[in-house]
Amino acid sequence: YGDEKISYSEANETANRYAAVLAERGVGRGDVVGIMERNSPDVVLTMLAAVKCGAVAGMLNHHQREEVLAHSIGLLGATVVVAESDLIDPIRASGAPLSGVEVISAEDFAAAAVGKSTANPASALQVQAKDPAFYIFTSGTTGHPKASVMTHLRWLRALAAFGGLGLRLRGSDTLYCPLPMYHNNALTVALSSVIDAGATLALGRGFSASRFFDEVRQMDAT
């Protein structure tokens, strides 16, 4: 991500520390963690922390505002919502039902994780293939967005079908993904394909036709 590089071991340790913060806030199997962040390593690590708790990562579109955002948050029924600091006010101003929901900034969330255990949480061993992993929202072109349920089984199938059979990524490959992580092709396809191969995910800040190939070259994407 830009000049930032994170190894698999560093990513796993950070995700485990984040999972410890969520567990302290009562997040467990079947709960929902709302995530409203722009592309960065942090949005991936927060998502991984949620699923390590056995929870469901509700991937909120950070472009949504007002009634549409309130609708999306209402569908999640989240225990915790993690959002970038400048997105907290739009969440509260949307009129979303936040009673009993802890809304925490991504910055405070990361700060709370300092010093937490880097060991894999026991909750990760209890996750089953049938359990929901993500809620991915539709675009809302035919009404309010709807939450599509992606189970761990569907995630594993995408991992094998796209990463293993389709793209045939190798560990030496780099896959460039400018799509936002609330998009199904970014989270379910690109990320899983990279993990399957032990390859590198080059995460873009967003798609731009004018700078696309410059970014591909910059990140040595294969």
Side-chain angles (χ1 to χ4, degrees):
Y1 179 73
D3 295 329
E4 187 175 355
K5 296 181 180 180
I6 300 176
S7 69
Y8 273 88
S9 61
E10 290 169 337
N12 190 55
E13 289 177 354
T14 302
N16 288 339
R17 289 192 288 105
Y18 283 6
V21 175
L22 292 175
E24 286 180 352
R25 284 160 168 74
V27 174
R29 185 178 179 187
D31 290 326
V32 178
V33 177
I35 301 172
M36 192 171 178
E37 297 186 50
R38 302 173 183 87
N39 271 14
S40 72
D42 200 68
V43 69
V44 177
L45 299 174
T46 304
M47 177 279 299
L48 291 173
V51 297
K52 278 174 174 281
C53 289
V56 187
M59 308 303 293
L60 291 162
N61 183 337
H62 54 75
H63 295 292
Q64 290 182 358
R65 295 294 186 273
E66 300 177 345
E67 182 183 352
V68 176
L69 178 57
H71 169 81
S72 296
I73 293 176
L75 285 181
L76 291 182
T79 302
V80 175
V81 173
V82 182
E84 290 183 62
S85 56
D86 66 315
L87 298 174
I88 299 286
D89 284 345
I91 288 174
R92 297 195 184 281
S94 70
L98 297 175
S99 177
V101 181
E102 181 177 3
V103 181
I104 182 172
S105 73
E107 295 81 358
D108 288 344
F109 184 71
V114 174
K116 300 297 183 188
S117 173
T118 59
N120 291 321
S123 55
L125 296 175
Q126 300 169 5
V127 176
Q128 299 183 20
K130 65 181 181 181
D131 292 342
F134 325 120
Y135 289 141
I136 300 288
F137 283 92
T138 61
S139 61
T141 52
T142 58
H144 282 318
K146 303 169 184 64
S148 174
V149 181
M150 300 299 297
T151 63
H152 283 271
L153 178 60
R154 292 182 71 180
W155 198 19
L156 289 170
R157 283 177 172 172
L159 176 151
F162 292 103
L165 300 177
L167 298 176
R168 297 186 224 178
L169 290 180
R170 298 164 296 180
S172 58
D173 284 327
T174 297
L175 188 153
Y176 172 56
C177 178
L179 292 169
M181 277 294 132
Y182 61 73
H183 195 291
N184 207 21
N185 283 337
L187 187 57
T188 308
V189 178
L191 179 60
S192 69
S193 297
V194 166
I195 291 175
D196 177 58
T200 301
L201 177 70
L203 192 60
R205 289 177 171 81
F207 177 76
S208 168
S210 63
R211 66 172 187 261
F212 178 79
F213 285 107
D214 288 338
E215 291 180 347
V216 168
R217 287 188 287 268
Q218 176 191 352
M219 298 185 180
D220 294 325
T222 51

